[in-house]
Structure formats: C-alpha cells, structure tokens
Amino acid sequence: KEKINIFRKQHRITVHGADIPDPIESFSDLKRFKVSQTLLKNLQGNSYEEPTPIQMQAIPILIQQRELLACAPTGSGKTLSFILPLLHHLKEPKKFGLRAVVVSPTRELAQQIHREFVRMNEGLGLKIHVLTKAKASTIANSKTNHFDILVATPNRLVHLLQQDPPALQLSSVEWLVLDEGDKLFEEGDAGFRDQVAAIFQACDNPQIRHTLFSATLANNVEEWSKLHLDNVIRINIGARNA
Ligand code: ADP
Ligand code: MG
C-alpha cells in the first residue's frame, strides 16, 4: 500500500473513495485484467507506449466497473482512459441495441473521440457512430439498432429522445460517459444541464455504469457527481486539491 501511495504521488495522482483499484504502471499490466491481445496491439499500433497518469489510475477503475469522476488537464489523455475500458467490456458487436453512449459538448470533440474509438477498434468490429446531422435519420430509423457505441453532442441526442415516439432507445445502455464535464455543467445557456438530465434519465438500465471526465473540478461537476454517481471514486491529476 505504501508503495502504491508513493507511486501515485510521483505521478501526481490524488484519489478519493472506497476500495480504490491500484493504478497500472504500464500497459502490459493490463494483462492481469485479461485485456485482449487485439487491444494491446492497437495501443502499440497507435503509439500509446506508456500510460499517462490519468490512464494509469482511471483505466483499472473503469475495467473494474466502478463509477468515476476523473479530473485531469486538457491534453492529458482522458479520451483513451474511457475508450480502452469500454472496448474491453463491450468486446464484440452485439445486436442488443446501443450499449455505450459518450456525450461531448461540441461536434468537433465528438468527432475526435469517434476517430480515436475507430483506431482502437481495429480487429474488434464494434459498430461505433458519431451522431451527426447527416446520420441522425439513419440512426433513428435503424429499428434493430445495429450499433454498439454512440458518440453525441447533448442537443442532437436529446432531439432524438424527444421525438414522439422517441427515435432512439437508451434502455440497453451499459455505459454512459460524460466528457468535458465542466463544459456540460456550465451555468446558463452555455451549459447542457437539462439535456444531460434527459439523457441520464433515458439510460434506465439498472446495471448501467456512469462516468464523468472533466478538465477542472468545477463545483457543478462535483455536485452532480455526488448526486448521481454510485460509490464514486474521484481522481485528480496535477494540482493538489484542498
Ligand atoms: P484530453 O481529453 O485529456 O484533453 P486527449 O485524450 O485528447 O486529452 O489526448 C491528447 C493527445 O495525447 C492525443 O493526441 C492523444 O492521442 C495523445 N495521447 C493520449 N494518451 C497517450 C499515451 N498514453 N501515449 C502517447 N500519446 C497519448
Ligand atoms: Mg478530452
């Protein structure tokens, strides 16, 4: 335990919560969670050689299916921190309907997340879509929901949910990831609190796991996670929090 605390300190990882999984030191540590050779190969193929601090701590937490509030600066590698555990858990395409939703405040960021998913999905064959205007009608009309992961902005997703009848079913969603939490929960018109609330509510599978990533630990972000995340673990990278 002492060794782990020293390791966390070295990488400026602060954690709060109960029964926190140990961080990984390298991507090869993922073998102990039976992460597939395909995923490990895709890490190498994308020149992800060593995990960043947020990845060291967030990946084992999400692999063990804990709910998480993760705060780490822009550019610190938050995207892979949720992509890798999601691909690990979803494993292969299934036709049970949508199994993971990632919400991002802007289209540009949603596209970036989608591209990183696609690169890491090589050889896995999961069906991953980004909800663009052009694709909205295809996604809404695909009665059998032949896709596994959807990356979307709050407005476009809520637009589908609020059609009568809803153009999208989220009851099969096992993972809801909220990215850029500080932007999503911004006060006033800039924020997406109502939209996130509608999405959260539509994901009504009792087995669902929620996770929230943010560049800063804004008050809104912390409040939301206290109210909505179950037995939450909080990670802060970098600046020490009071
Ligand atoms: P954040 O979401 O925290 O702002 P990103 O996930 O967008 O950061 O990552 C920033 C950049 O770092 C991206 O170009 C990404 O591909 C790269 N990156 C992420 N993790 C690693 C890693 N372990 N090794 C090398 N590059 C990485
Ligand atoms: Mg990001």
Side-chain angles (χ1 to χ4, degrees):
K1 276 289 150 206
E2 187 56 25
K3 230 179 96 194
I4 286 163
N5 288 336
I6 291 167
F7 178 83
R8 285 197 180 110
K9 215 168 205 167
Q10 275 171 350
H11 294 280
R12 310 222 298 153
I13 302 169
T14 322
V15 285
H16 299 270
D19 304 320
I20 302 167
D22 292 347
I24 53 167
E25 291 187 32
S26 72
F27 285 129
S28 61
D29 287 353
L30 290 171
K31 287 175 194 153
R32 75 166 187 256
F33 300 111
K34 304 208 160 57
V35 168
S36 72
Q37 284 302 323
T38 310
L39 269 175
L40 295 176
K41 208 180 72 197
N42 290 350
L43 285 170
Q44 285 186 335
N46 287 294
S47 3
Y48 297 135
E49 277 161 23
E50 292 304 328
T52 64
I54 187 65
Q55 292 162 4
M56 289 170 171
Q57 186 60 83
I59 289 173
I61 288 173
L62 293 176
I63 284 190
Q64 295 185 50
Q65 314 203 41
R66 292 288 301 273
E67 299 214 320
L68 171 68
L69 167 58
C71 299
T74 302
S76 62
K78 293 191 287 297
T79 320
L80 187 71
S81 305
F82 59 81
I83 283 184
L84 191 128
L86 258 60
L87 293 175
H88 170 74
H89 283 298
L90 301 184
K91 248 179 201 85
E92 55 187 17
K94 292 205 175 118
K95 293 182 176 169
F96 297 162
L98 200 47
R99 290 184 293 151
V101 169
V102 178
V103 178
S104 162
T106 71
R107 272 181 286 167
E108 290 69 27
L109 289 168
Q111 299 278 10
Q112 272 180 37
I113 294 168
H114 178 253
R115 280 197 295 274
E116 199 157 339
F117 257 121
V118 169
R119 288 201 299 268
M120 286 300 296
N121 185 39
E122 186 157 347
L124 296 177
L126 287 155
K127 301 275 189 297
I128 307 168
H129 290 296
V130 60
L131 182 58
T132 57
K133 202 170 196 172
K135 273 214 187 128
S137 63
T138 319
I139 287 170
N141 292 329
S142 69
K143 292 185 185 59
T144 42
N145 279 352
H146 280 194
F147 50 98
D148 303 289
I149 301 171
L150 183 65
V151 186
T153 56
N155 285 334
R156 266 192 216 292
L157 190 51
V158 166
H159 181 73
L160 292 186
L161 295 176
Q162 288 179 345
Q163 289 176 29
D164 187 20
L168 193 68
Q169 247 303 339
L170 299 184
S171 294
S172 52
V173 172
E174 298 161 21
W175 288 92
L176 176 61
V177 178
L178 304 176
D179 196 21
E180 304 269 337
D182 38 9
K183 303 247 170 59
L184 292 176
F185 296 116
E186 226 169 295
E187 296 288 352
D189 291 344
F192 299 97
R193 303 164 137 256
D194 296 347
Q195 292 91 330
V196 172
I199 295 162
F200 187 88
Q201 212 170 23
C203 294
D204 58 2
N205 179 345
Q207 303 295 326
I208 190 167
R209 305 275 77 192
H210 307 97
T211 179
L212 175 57
F213 282 79
S214 183
T216 61
L217 184 57
N219 283 338
N220 291 335
V221 168
E222 197 173 9
E223 255 165 53
W224 188 90
S225 66
K226 277 189 183 145
L227 286 173
H228 295 94
L229 300 182
D230 169 41
N231 191 18
V232 62
I233 295 174
R234 196 174 90 202
I235 308 175
N236 280 289
I237 302 295
R240 215 122 282 253
N241 253 89

